[in-house]
Amino acid sequence: MRLTPRDEDDVADAIRAALAQDAPLSIEGHGSKAAFGRATKRERILSLAALAGVTLYEPQELVLTARAGTPLRDIVALLDEQGQQLAFEPLDHAPLLGGARDDATIGGVIAVNASGPRRIKAGAARDHLLGFRCVTGRGEIVKSGGRVMKNVTGYDLSKLVTGSYGTLAALTETTLKVLPKAETEETLLLRGLGEEKGLAALRKASGSPYEVSSFAYDPREDMAALRLEGPEISVVTRRDELAAFLGCFGAATDFLRDAESRAFWTRLRDAEPVAEGEGVIWRVSLAPTDGFAFVERLRRAGAPVLAYFYDWAGGLVWLRLATMADAHAPAIRAIVDALGGHATLIRADAEIRTLVDVFQPQPSALAALTRRVKEAFDPRFILERGRLRAEF
């Protein structure tokens, strides 16, 4: 059954009706992330696609408000007209999960905290959410935050709902901080260093004064990539100075100019180097100094790694592995537990996502806190029941 509310009041009515019937609801915009998370029955879908449209945009104030079902592509186009952007560059899940490209909604982006390579400099989606409106699992309409960066009168609920996958509330409206687009960008490429040395070069650059906005390493091409953005004269100067700063590594250098650079980082943003081909896909976040060690330990454990690359100067590892019933979760979790960090199973079939913890298991104290938060928003577990944790 698909429910298609026309406005926020309809959303509240739908959730209250589901409460009365103890009938769990799955929340979606255009459904581009339906295969993300633990597999659930999805017998009742609350579609927010009709709650669309930008309700406020003040380019001079760098603020935009849009209903949750607004297509992300529409927001990007509107911002582009004013030379502005969502600086956290939300990834498009289509290459990873299938479906149409550029079909995400802003509500879905916030619900999963979708953030790209620039996150290491600009922050994640949650850092750009100024406020929101939603309907909780109690059927209550809630407004939080506003058009300023800091709300000192209460809890920062924006940080709480971002990345909650719809388990706490159905977002109906979001207010976001937007930023000017860079005049131009270039990418410095370092070739032939080998994996460990290439990652060391990225970490060295991350502590430099050259304002690098993105750091990635592609092992297939033995290539470290560093993105610089800003006015053209600044980018060219910083690029040359950065190349000299990293000259001690002895790499062959090359450059990607503006359009080539944008295309390169869009491809990495959407994890395309691992998206193509069969297999399960993991996203592992840890300290940049531990990225290489994680991959090496995984190989020594016998995991059949088919493709991988590093983002965030080695702090984010995207992997595609041969399909197995346990998705290699025991080996991956053991290594992550030893190194610190967390691992998320991004792509696997529904049967695997039913049996395997998709998200990093939490320590008991944190799991208890997570449950209390869930109960505060949704005491009957009506919203996205079982999507994050089997128990709720």
Side-chain angles (χ1 to χ4, degrees), residues 39-114:
T40 57
K41 293 182 179 180
R42 293 177 58 82
E43 293 177 348
R44 286 192 173 199
I45 297 173
L46 183 65
S47 171
L48 303 181
L51 277 68
V54 173
T55 58
L56 178 145
Y57 179 35
E58 296 182 355
Q60 293 182 334
E61 300 297 326
L62 302 176
V63 172
L64 179 143
T65 299
R67 297 186 182 95
T70 307
L72 179 62
R73 60 177 177 270
D74 293 352
I75 293 174
V76 170
L78 178 62
L79 293 175
D80 193 57
E81 291 174 1
Q82 298 293 328
Q84 296 180 346
Q85 64 180 347
L86 297 173
F88 58 92
E89 62 184 337
L91 67 90
D92 184 347
H93 285 78
L96 290 163
L97 303 178
R101 293 295 303 248
D102 299 320
D103 200 36
T105 60
I106 192 61
V109 165
I110 297 302
V112 304
N113 193 31

Side-chain angles (χ1 to χ4, degrees), residues 200-359:
L202 293 180
R203 294 195 301 272
K204 182 177 176 66
S206 70
S208 77
Y210 302 112
E211 299 181 57
V212 183
S213 61
S214 305
F215 310 78
Y217 179 83
D218 185 345
R220 294 179 305 174
E221 299 188 33
D222 189 8
M223 180 180 74
L226 305 102
R227 176 164 62 172
L228 300 122
E229 300 175 286
E232 184 174 3
I233 188 170
S234 170
V235 168
V236 171
T237 300
R238 286 184 287 129
R239 178 201 70 193
D240 293 342
E241 291 178 352
L242 179 62
F245 176 73
L246 298 175
C248 58
F249 287 93
T253 60
D254 195 2
F255 309 105
L256 297 177
R257 267 63 181 190
D258 191 59
E260 288 181 308
S261 177
R262 294 180 194 277
F264 175 85
W265 290 104
T266 296
R267 188 167 182 270
L268 290 190
R269 181 199 72 186
D270 299 339
E272 290 186 27
V274 300
E276 301 165 2
E278 297 296 323
V280 297
I281 293 177
W282 287 84
R283 181 181 185 271
V284 181
S285 179
L286 25 67
T289 52
D290 291 331
F292 177 75
F294 168 80
V295 174
E296 287 298 290
R297 292 189 190 187
L298 189 61
R299 283 178 167 147
R300 288 199 297 269
V305 179
L306 302 177
Y308 68 102
F309 73 94
Y310 301 89
D311 203 349
W312 303 352
L316 181 66
V317 186
W318 285 94
L319 305 120
R320 178 165 53 87
L321 299 93
T323 300
M324 287 184 63
D326 64 3
H328 312 280
I332 289 173
R333 300 282 188 216
I335 299 168
V336 168
D337 287 346
L339 293 174
H342 60 269
T344 303
L345 179 58
I346 299 292
R347 187 180 81 188
D349 64 34
E351 183 177 359
I352 292 174
R353 290 185 292 112
T354 300
L355 300 174
V356 173
D357 284 326
V358 170
F359 300 96

Side-chain angles (χ1 to χ4, degrees), residues 138-217:
R138 297 175 180 270
E140 300 169 339
I141 296 174
V142 171
K143 177 183 182 295
S144 178
R147 292 167 55 192
V148 293
M149 274 305 294
K150 190 174 183 181
N151 180 7
V152 297
T153 60
Y155 295 108
D156 189 353
L157 295 181
S158 294
K159 297 290 194 296
L160 200 58
V161 300
T162 309
S164 65
Y165 292 78
T167 60
L168 302 181
L171 288 170
T172 57
E173 186 178 79
T174 62
T175 297
L176 296 155
K177 174 181 67 172
V178 300
L179 291 174
K181 290 181 69 173
E183 177 185 307
T184 190
E185 71 172 66
E186 290 196 16
T187 296
L188 170 64
L189 303 177
L190 307 178
R191 300 182 185 275
L193 290 178
E195 197 163 315
E196 193 168 14
K197 198 173 177 182
L199 290 170
L202 293 180
R203 294 195 301 272
K204 182 177 176 66
S206 70
S208 77
Y210 302 112
E211 299 181 57
V212 183
S213 61
S214 305
F215 310 78
Y217 179 83

